[in-house]
Amino acid sequence: MSRRDLVRVCLQNLLRHKARTFLTVMGVVLGCCSVIIMISIGIGMKKSQEQALSMMGDLTVISVYKTGRSRRAAKITAKTMEEIRAIPGVQAATPKLSADQLAFNIYAGPGRRYRCVYLAAVGLEAEAAKEMGYHLTEGQWKTSGQNHVLVGQNFEYLFEDTKRPEGRNMREPGEEPFSPYFDSRRTKLTLEAESGRNDGKKLTWELTADGRLKEDFAKGMETSMGILFRLEDLQRIMDEQQRASGKIPDRRKGWDNAVVKADDIRHVASIEKQIRKMGLSTSSMESIRKPMEQDARQKQMMLGCLGAISLFVAAFIAKRTFSMFTLQSKTRGELTALVDEMLGNQKVVQAFGQEKKSLEQFDEINERLRKCVEVDINNADSSMTRKYRNCIAHLTVVRELKE
């Protein structure tokens, strides 16, 4: 038999049972779709969760805080930072010094014409800041010299023109056709602070803006309308201001905050655990990511159970369908043999008066064949319905995840 004959015979057999063929094809298609959807949901849920969380902040960054101000409370000192850097999985770690509570002002322009109305000043170790994901739109941060800073993307819009009337002395980002009053990288910046003794004396420091930070509110306001110091420079400025006010700086108290960068998201939980053992408190996106990951696993388990049930039901129906199909073929052969015998020997049947008995025998075999065909169609229909139901269930889960 040639291949052409084989194809022709196969098509004839398929067309002979059109309903069964259609239902079987639909069951296979929907079954394959169900499996693909289950796999896609598992991968898609994880990706979508990580993307959503990454928009809220870096998933590998951990913020570290002191737990109290008592003498026995754990402190963030230079020794503490060395211990944190020694934890496996830590890529970088730096104290984070903030000067938001101090009365600092910045002036710029000839005759100190432009004055900063609000200052978000943060100090980080220069090398660690690069690892933390602070990106520059222009310039480069110099690690030598004193008081070299990076300004936020919209830093100049914090300044007001002291020679203009109130209400018309500031410019907003994106305001056309106006641009900032000056370019901080080409203009002298002067940091000024009160001495703290009510004697009218002021302390001043000259600042040099080496570059401009890319705006990223997940990092902090310093990337938009603030200024980023090297840790040692901001610490020295704050110590000088404290001495001028009559206070003695105490470095033994350490810092209030620190920032830790993990080399992989899988190490965040273990790093936080080690830091908490030191008596410090931590916060990261892990507290949000973990419940979301557990919820995704529950949904994956639910889909896995549906898949297992589907396979069990499919095996049961396939086994039952095969046995009924075998019985159907046997019964059809029995009926065909009876018809051939009765028609081929019609005169003999009539001679012996076997017409009624032959008809009864035909009806009995035909009834058995009808039941076999009915069960076969119902099994095929159940298989298709089951797979269609599974597909609908998977699509419902996808819809819930998107919402």
Side-chain angles (χ1 to χ4, degrees):
M1 182 179 290
S2 64
R3 292 184 179 179
R4 184 175 181 181
D5 293 333
L6 287 174
V7 173
R8 180 173 55 81
V9 171
C10 291
L11 291 176
Q12 287 177 351
N13 290 333
L14 291 175
L15 294 175
R16 185 179 300 169
H17 305 282
K18 295 181 180 179
R20 178 182 175 84
T21 301
F22 173 75
L23 294 175
T24 302
V25 171
M26 289 295 295
V28 171
V29 171
L30 293 176
C32 293
C33 290
S34 300
V35 174
I36 293 172
I37 288 173
M38 280 193 292
I39 296 174
S40 301
I41 286 175
I43 298 173
M45 282 192 300
K46 186 175 180 180
K47 292 289 184 183
S48 61
Q49 288 172 2
E50 291 183 357
Q51 288 177 359
L53 290 174
S54 63
M55 295 176 65
M56 301 169 60
D58 194 336
L59 301 180
T60 59
V61 170
I62 304 169
S63 298
V64 184
Y65 309 95
K66 293 197 303 185
T67 54
R69 295 186 177 276
S70 63
R71 291 184 178 181
R72 295 184 178 181
K75 299 178 177 60
I76 304 176
T77 61
K79 182 180 179 181
T80 306
M81 295 308 302
E82 290 299 325
E83 293 176 357
I84 292 175
R85 293 187 185 99
I87 297 175
V90 173
Q91 181 177 344
T94 174
K96 186 174 183 179
L97 186 62
S98 176
D100 294 343
Q101 304 300 324
L102 300 179
F104 285 127
N105 282 321
I106 295 183
Y107 294 90
R112 306 192 352 166
R113 176 175 177 174
Y114 306 111
R115 180 178 60 194
C116 183
V117 297
Y118 170 77
L119 178 62
V122 172
L124 297 174
E125 292 179 355
E127 293 300 325
K130 297 177 182 178
E131 299 288 344
M132 295 296 171
Y134 284 87
H135 300 293
L136 299 179
T137 59
E138 58 178 325
Q140 185 176 4
W141 204 1
K142 296 180 181 179
T143 56
S144 60
Q146 288 187 349
N147 302 336
H148 286 266
V149 299
L150 298 176
V151 297
Q153 185 169 327
N154 299 311
F155 173 69
E156 289 85 354
Y157 290 102
L158 287 173
F159 287 78
E160 62 180 2
D161 189 347
T162 56
K163 295 186 178 181
R164 287 177 175 267
E166 190 73 25
R168 292 189 299 169
N169 59 345
M170 295 189 69
R171 293 177 177 176
E172 299 293 334
E175 186 179 7
E176 298 292 345
F178 303 109
S179 58
Y181 290 121
F182 62 93
D183 184 353
S184 58
R185 295 191 61 205
R186 297 176 175 83
T187 305
K188 179 181 177 182
L189 300 176
T190 302
L191 179 67
E192 183 180 276
E194 299 286 343
S195 64
R197 294 193 177 191
N198 297 324
D199 54 4
K201 294 183 179 180
K202 296 182 179 181
L203 304 175
T204 59
W205 298 269
E206 300 296 328
L207 305 181
T208 302
D210 294 332
R212 189 178 304 278
L213 292 165
K214 182 180 180 181
E215 187 177 60
D216 184 357
F217 288 108
K219 296 286 187 297
M221 279 297 296
E222 65 271 16
T223 63
S224 177
M225 291 187 172
I227 189 168
L228 182 62
F229 286 84
R230 291 197 307 245
L231 179 67
E232 58 271 21
D233 287 340
L234 184 58
Q235 185 72 70
R236 177 176 44 78
I237 290 173
M238 294 175 66
D239 289 348
E240 291 178 6
Q241 198 271 342
Q242 284 186 329
R243 292 191 187 95
S245 63
K247 300 178 181 179
I248 300 176
D250 188 1
R251 293 288 184 91
R252 294 175 299 176
K253 293 182 178 179
W255 301 279
D256 292 335
N257 306 324
V259 186
V260 179
K261 171 83 170 179
D263 58 5
D264 192 275
I265 191 173
R266 295 173 297 178
H267 299 151
V268 172
S270 61
I271 293 173
E272 283 194 272
K273 185 177 180 180
Q274 292 294 327
I275 294 175
R276 291 194 187 104
K277 287 183 179 179
M278 299 178 184
L280 302 171
S281 60
T282 63
S283 67
S284 69
M285 300 301 295
E286 187 72 8
S287 58
I288 302 175
R289 189 187 71 85
K290 208 68 175 178
M292 293 178 67
E293 185 178 0
Q294 292 176 353
D295 183 63
R297 287 179 179 175
Q298 291 177 355
K299 288 183 171 64
Q300 287 177 329
M301 290 181 62
M302 181 182 69
L303 293 175
C305 291
L306 286 175
I309 293 173
S310 299
L311 292 175
F312 175 77
V313 175
F316 175 78
I317 292 177
K319 184 177 180 180
R320 181 174 174 81
T321 302
F322 177 76
S323 62
M324 294 306 299
F325 180 75
T326 303
L327 182 60
Q328 176 187 343
S329 301
K330 181 179 179 181
T331 306
R332 184 181 290 110
E334 187 179 347
L335 184 62
T336 302
L338 177 65
V339 172
D340 289 342
E341 183 180 357
M342 293 302 104
L343 291 179
N345 301 285
Q346 185 175 6
K347 292 182 179 182
V348 177
V349 172
Q350 290 176 350
F352 286 92
Q354 295 295 318
E355 296 94 335
K356 184 177 180 181
K357 185 177 179 180
S358 299
L359 288 174
E360 290 176 353
Q361 189 177 3
F362 177 86
D363 290 338
E364 188 269 333
I365 297 174
N366 189 56
E367 179 64 19
R368 284 191 284 122
L369 180 61
R370 185 188 66 80
K371 290 181 179 179
C372 291
V373 174
E374 182 179 343
V375 171
D376 194 25
I377 292 177
N378 288 338
N379 286 339
D381 181 63
S382 299
S383 178
M384 186 274 293
T385 304
R386 170 183 51 80
K387 292 174 181 178
Y388 178 75
R389 182 176 63 252
N390 290 343
C391 190
I392 293 298
H394 298 155
L395 293 175
T396 302
V397 174
V398 173
R399 182 179 178 183
E400 292 179 356
L401 291 174
K402 289 183 177 180
E403 292 177 352

